[in-house]
Amino acid sequence: MAGITDKKWGLFPPLSTALPSEGDLALNERMIDELKAQNNFEDTSETRKRTNVLGKFQQIAVEFVKHVGNLKGLSQAMINEAGGKISTFGSFRLGVYGPGSDIDTLLVAPKHVSRDDFFDHFPAILEKMSAPGAIEELKPVRDAFVPIIKIEYSGISIDLLFARLLLSSVPFKLDLKKDDLLRGLDEVEQRSLNGTRVSDQILSLVPQEAVFRQTLRTVKLWAQRRALYANIMGFPGGVAWAMMAANVCQSYPQACASVVVGKFFHLMGMWNWPRPVMLKELDTDPPGMQSKIWNPAIYRTDKFHLMPIITPAYPSMCATHNITRSTKNVIIKELKEAAITTRNIFEGKAQWKDLFEPHTFFTKDYKYYLSVVSASKTKDAQAIWSGLVESKVRRLVAGIEESQEGISIARPYVKGFSRTHKWQNEDQLEQVLRGSLAYVASDSKHTDIGNDATHKAMAQGNADLEMPQSDGTKEQENGSEMSTVYTTTYYVGIELAQGSKSMDISFSVSEFQRQCNMWPQYNEEVNSVRVVFTRNYDLPDDVFEPGDVRPSKAKKMKTGKNLESSKKRSYSQSTTIEEHNGESAKRRQPAASNNNTNG
């Protein structure tokens, strides 16, 4: 390991260059065993299948580039040299993927191939060169912030991006870390390349890739189990957790992963935020190029990043700009608790499985919740609308934080819960829009709409997708005419400030609804968003995992004075926040009082 100690890793000298002890290595083995027990590693046969599929996509990419070259009249010599490259990024590139993980993939093409060519011609070439039935789903999203084709291929999920370089040839071994490759590219092309460039830079900046991967697997599983893994909802996403893990690897270049994991929770829990986490000095603009590089001394918005974690690839940016005051407090609290757990593991007082205890967001963390119910009358419309609503949930959280109305924490859960409902009359529809599960369809399956390509594009923001115009269909069921409505509900846990016994967040809720309904394609006949105040004992059954103990209502003696007040409405009858406190909202902001959310 002499080379490791000779090289400077990161911005500062290492905190320790000590080699792992026998005890450290034994703990490392037990950590890996626990990761395997938690089904964190994919079977080798499945990994071979992924490799084969990527090899097939490389062949298809080269053929696609040739096809476009022929269409545009290039000489045969130029076509033969044009190349084309499939590159990966994210969890697969970093080596921390597990069973069922998708593959984030990038097709890099030479200058004669445009983004329109990618969407117009690649699907046909893919189908032509694939075995019958290999393509199980293909969903292009041209107008996403980062344009994408979502593909299910031989049982593997592939998110395929496209980038054109201003080169006549793109060889397979081209190093995409070179900054000059960005010269002359538009912002969309730069964003498409960013994932691969960041992943490659991270791997080049860690002392030991194997240690980094084992560390990141452990941290990633912990973050997922503790409901701390969701960039859109105000928590670090995969690349941010990877950069934090890489930073600690740089501080302990010769340590084994078990040691780095213990140091990770200690160092990150005590980090002096908003001091940024960085893996290297930020690159400046190459000659003749100019891009926005994260710099709070220049850019006002960068000053407001609460937990800045900065990407190492030019142009560097903050990967955690979505973090709010509440999510920051939750993250730090969880990191400190994990530091205690890992210390107990090293002292023989706990086991690695204790680190991966599931979150208690629904079972005991909060007494009160906001249920943000997004609804649409068609499935396709709901994929778009729910993404739009999800993208704004953190704005609701920020609005509640800024209101200072007796709330110390407003913590969103990391994903929404999608349901299908059947209704016969307007009263039933109204109940569904307020959060009732009384009319959930018998064949409704809880699906993670977050995997839908159009939903993802809307949730990530800036997508210009067209809302389907249909207002739904009616069908006969058991002799009655039934209509369908699709909902996705997001939950925000509310913790009151010490000494506070009430809250008035009506303005924050009204402003959130106004922002959603101001979307140009919002259609009040198709879309709805409601915010419902929900007590922990009224949470629906499907948010709990098997074995969870759900909260129960405390029993109170009913006397004459409080008998009437004890008749609280159930979850299915809960009133929307704007109806509870509508007059307050009207007094504070007249423009926010018009909350037309009729379904």
Side-chain angles (χ1 to χ4, degrees):
M1 293 189 182
I4 293 175
T5 56
D6 292 342
K7 181 176 178 179
K8 179 186 175 184
W9 300 95
L11 296 176
F12 306 103
L15 297 176
S16 172
T17 57
L19 293 168
S21 67
E22 290 186 8
D24 295 336
L25 293 172
L27 276 173
N28 197 78
E29 287 299 315
R30 289 201 285 273
M31 186 181 79
I32 301 302
D33 289 342
E34 184 57 38
L35 289 174
K36 292 177 179 177
Q38 299 278 350
N39 196 33
N40 194 255
F41 290 90
E42 186 176 67
D43 184 84
T44 53
S45 63
E46 289 299 311
T47 299
R48 276 197 303 272
K49 184 178 177 181
R50 289 177 185 269
T51 303
N52 291 338
V53 166
L54 288 172
K56 183 67 175 178
F57 268 65
Q58 175 60 37
Q59 296 173 14
I60 295 169
V62 171
E63 186 60 31
F64 158 68
V65 170
K66 288 181 177 179
H67 174 78
V68 175
N70 278 315
L71 289 178
K72 296 189 175 181
L74 270 63
S75 70
Q76 193 59 49
M78 292 180 68
I79 291 172
N80 292 340
E81 293 295 322
K85 174 182 172 69
I86 288 289
S87 184
T88 61
F89 58 100
S91 62
F92 187 84
R93 177 69 183 98
L94 295 175
V96 294
Y97 56 93
S101 296
D102 58 7
I103 307 179
D104 294 315
T105 311
L106 171 71
L107 194 164
V108 185
K111 61 184 179 182
H112 72 268
V113 183
S114 70
R115 190 158 51 247
D116 284 339
D117 292 330
F118 172 63
F119 284 101
D120 291 342
H121 300 293
F122 181 84
I125 301 297
L126 176 66
E127 185 171 0
K128 176 183 175 182
M129 295 183 64
S130 299
I135 304 172
E136 297 154 7
E137 180 186 4
L138 192 149
K139 193 168 188 178
V141 188
R142 285 180 184 249
D143 298 318
F145 188 60
V146 181
I148 185 174
I149 298 180
K150 176 83 174 178
I151 305 168
E152 291 289 328
Y153 194 93
S154 298
I156 296 172
S157 297
I158 296 176
D159 290 346
L160 183 62
L161 310 184
F162 172 83
R164 175 201 59 148
L165 301 180
L166 297 185
L167 302 174
S168 58
S169 173
V170 175
F172 178 70
K173 293 186 178 181
L174 180 67
D175 183 1
L176 296 177
K177 295 196 301 296
K178 295 178 179 178
D179 295 341
D180 280 347
L181 294 176
L182 302 181
R183 194 178 302 278
L185 303 189
D186 62 29
E187 290 185 3
V188 174
E189 290 164 335
Q190 289 194 29
R191 286 196 295 268
S192 298
L193 281 164
N194 186 61
T196 293
R197 285 168 50 79
V198 168
S199 296
D200 288 353
Q201 282 278 11
I202 290 172
L203 290 176
S204 73
L205 292 167
V206 294
Q208 302 180 74
E209 282 191 19
V211 170
F212 165 71
R213 286 173 169 146
Q214 292 168 5
T215 300
L216 182 54
R217 277 187 180 275
T218 305
V219 169
K220 182 178 176 180
L221 179 60
W222 165 82
Q224 290 170 332
R225 291 287 170 83
R226 302 305 299 171
L228 304 171
Y229 194 93
N231 178 52
I232 293 168
M233 287 300 188
F235 294 97
V239 70
W241 287 116
M243 288 187 289
M244 283 192 277
N247 180 275
V248 180
C249 286
Q250 290 177 335
S251 297
Y252 298 88
Q254 297 197 109
C256 62
S258 60
V259 172
V260 177
V261 168
K263 300 297 185 183
F264 173 90
F265 291 114
H266 173 73
L267 290 177
M268 291 295 114
M270 301 297 291
W271 194 266
N272 185 25
W273 306 105
R275 172 189 167 195
V277 171
M278 296 166 55
L279 301 182
K280 54 178 277 194
E281 293 285 356
L282 300 186
D283 293 326
T284 57
D285 290 313
M289 295 174 61
Q290 188 172 7
S291 295
K292 180 185 175 184
I293 300 171
W294 184 84
N295 189 337
I298 297 176
Y299 302 107
R300 183 173 178 271
T301 54
D302 292 350
K303 295 178 182 179
F304 297 106
H305 296 158
L306 301 178
M307 299 181 73
I309 300 171
I310 311 304
T311 57
Y314 171 84
S316 294
M317 58 192 73
C318 180
T320 47
H321 62 276
N322 288 339
I323 287 178
T324 69
R325 189 190 72 212
S326 291
T327 55
K328 174 189 173 184
N329 290 340
V330 169
I331 294 164
I332 291 173
K333 177 176 176 287
E334 290 281 356
L335 286 167
K336 289 181 176 180
E337 290 179 358
I340 294 172
T341 301
T342 51
R343 185 169 67 243
N344 288 337
I345 291 171
F346 273 82
E347 292 175 356
K349 300 175 184 177
Q351 298 178 317
W352 284 111
K353 67 178 182 180
D354 299 323
L355 183 65
F356 306 124
E357 282 293 311
H359 66 84
T360 52
F361 180 87
F362 294 111
T363 55
K364 67 179 185 180
D365 287 354
Y366 304 98
K367 290 177 64 176
Y368 310 111
Y369 297 82
L370 300 181
S371 302
V372 181
V373 186
S374 67
S376 301
K377 288 186 177 178
T378 69
K379 190 173 183 180
D380 289 342
Q382 180 61 5
I384 295 175
W385 176 245
S386 62
L388 183 280
V389 172
E390 181 175 323
S391 73
K392 298 189 183 299
V393 168
R394 66 177 181 273
R395 295 191 184 182
L396 171 62
V397 170
I400 292 171
E401 292 173 346
E402 292 168 4
S403 70
Q404 299 179 343
E405 293 289 348
I407 295 175
S408 64
I409 294 289
R411 174 187 179 180
Y413 189 59
V414 292
K415 66 176 183 178
F417 291 78
S418 298
R419 300 152 181 141
T420 305
H421 313 256
K422 300 286 187 179
W423 57 279
Q424 289 179 283
N425 54 56
E426 292 298 322
D427 179 64
Q428 292 178 356
L429 174 60
E430 180 65 19
Q431 290 185 53
V432 171
L433 299 184
R434 293 183 181 181
S436 170
L437 300 192
Y439 305 102
V440 171
S442 58
D443 59 349
S444 177
K445 295 181 180 179
H446 176 59
T447 57
D448 185 2
I449 200 170
N451 290 326
D452 182 271
T454 53
H455 174 93
K456 269 187 178 180
M458 288 300 298
Q460 290 169 355
N462 299 312
D464 185 21
L465 305 183
E466 185 174 347
M467 175 71 76
Q469 295 303 306
S470 171
D471 61 355
T473 57
K474 296 183 179 181
E475 57 190 51
Q476 293 292 321
E477 191 171 302
N478 297 325
S480 301
E481 190 175 70
M482 306 289 289
S483 296
T484 303
V485 64
Y486 301 87
T487 65
T488 305
T489 302
Y490 303 93
Y491 296 92
V492 180
I494 298 294
E495 183 178 311
L496 297 182
Q498 189 171 4
S500 179
K501 296 184 179 180
S502 64
M503 60 178 175
D504 179 3
I505 56 174
S506 52
F507 173 70
S508 300
V509 169
S510 296
E511 180 63 16
F512 163 73
Q513 289 180 307
R514 185 187 69 82
Q515 291 176 0
C516 292
N517 295 347
M518 278 182 63
W519 185 52
Q521 296 192 60
Y522 165 71
N523 181 348
E524 65 179 13
E525 298 299 323
V526 176
N527 313 120
S528 167
V529 60
R530 304 288 182 93
V531 180
V532 183
F533 177 79
T534 310
R535 289 172 172 81
N536 57 358
Y537 51 78
D538 282 328
L539 287 167
D541 291 338
D542 62 356
V543 304
F544 298 98
E545 296 292 333
D548 282 351
V549 178
R550 60 174 301 148
S552 57
K553 185 176 181 180
K555 295 182 179 179
K556 294 182 179 180
M557 293 295 293
K558 297 180 181 178
T559 59
K561 187 173 182 180
N562 66 16
L563 180 60
E564 186 64 30
S565 64
S566 69
K567 297 177 181 179
K568 302 294 184 183
R569 296 188 179 189
S570 68
Y571 175 84
S572 65
Q573 298 170 315
S574 294
T575 313
T576 52
I577 293 287
E578 69 269 16
E579 290 170 333
H580 260 314
N581 297 308
E583 288 305 311
S584 174
K586 291 174 185 177
R587 287 195 300 270
R588 296 170 65 178
Q589 175 56 273
S593 64
N594 184 20
N595 294 306
N596 190 344
T597 55
N598 293 329

